[in-house]
Amino acid sequence: MEIITMESSAYKELVEKIDKIAGYVRDSEREKKPDTDVWLCNGEVMSLLGISRRTLQRLRDGKRIRYAIFRGACRYHFSEVARMVEESIVECDPQRLEDFRRNYLLRTGSQRKKG
């Protein structure tokens, strides 16, 4: 093993430079955005959401989804589609859902009568 000696001031200067480099790397990692924000065409969005062309038109007309037009075709950011889906999720209480189902069946007469 070889031992290298250096002045303490040189050592401190070297450590400071290493800390600056490490800070720069940390900051640049935070600034990086994931490369998942790609543009999707109508067909891709319809397939992804399982909706028709007319439903997608209604989402645009109702300003529920933002889009851009490139060369006459609508394009959507993936993050915009994800945002719309996230905002559309409805959480419910399972007991209330069961009450709703029972009331619906009673109201529509869809429950089969035994006998």
Side-chain angles (χ1 to χ4, degrees):
M1 176 190 283
E2 187 176 336
I3 298 176
I4 300 173
T5 59
M6 62 181 0
E7 292 182 24
S8 65
S9 61
Y11 175 77
K12 287 178 185 178
E13 186 179 326
L14 183 62
V15 169
E16 286 176 13
K17 287 181 180 180
I18 291 172
D19 286 341
K20 283 182 184 180
I21 292 170
Y24 176 77
V25 170
R26 275 192 302 271
D27 291 344
S28 66
E29 286 296 318
R30 280 189 216 130
E31 291 174 5
K32 281 186 182 177
K33 281 185 168 180
D35 196 21
T36 57
D37 209 14
V38 296
W39 289 99
L40 303 172
C41 68
N42 286 329
E44 291 168 325
V45 174
M46 291 184 309
S47 176
L48 191 64
L49 298 177
I51 59 175
S52 68
R53 182 175 298 277
R54 182 66 187 127
T55 299
L56 185 56
Q57 178 67 46
R58 284 188 192 106
L59 292 173
R60 287 194 308 263
D61 292 345
K63 297 184 180 15
R64 294 197 51 213
I65 189 168
R66 289 186 291 257
Y67 64 97
I69 298 177
F70 296 113
R71 296 184 185 194
C74 291
R75 299 284 187 238
Y76 313 83
H77 270 291
F78 182 84
S79 62
E80 178 62 18
V81 175
R83 179 204 56 81
M84 189 200 66
V85 169
E86 186 67 31
E87 288 179 0
S88 299
I89 293 175
V90 177
E91 295 183 18
C92 65
D93 176 21
Q95 182 58 41
R96 291 185 65 204
L97 185 60
E98 182 57 33
D99 291 343
F100 174 79
R101 188 182 75 75
R102 186 174 50 251
N103 289 337
Y104 173 79
L105 292 174
L106 289 172
R107 187 173 63 246
T108 60
S110 296
Q111 221 170 17
R112 291 185 180 178
K113 296 179 182 175
K114 293 182 180 179

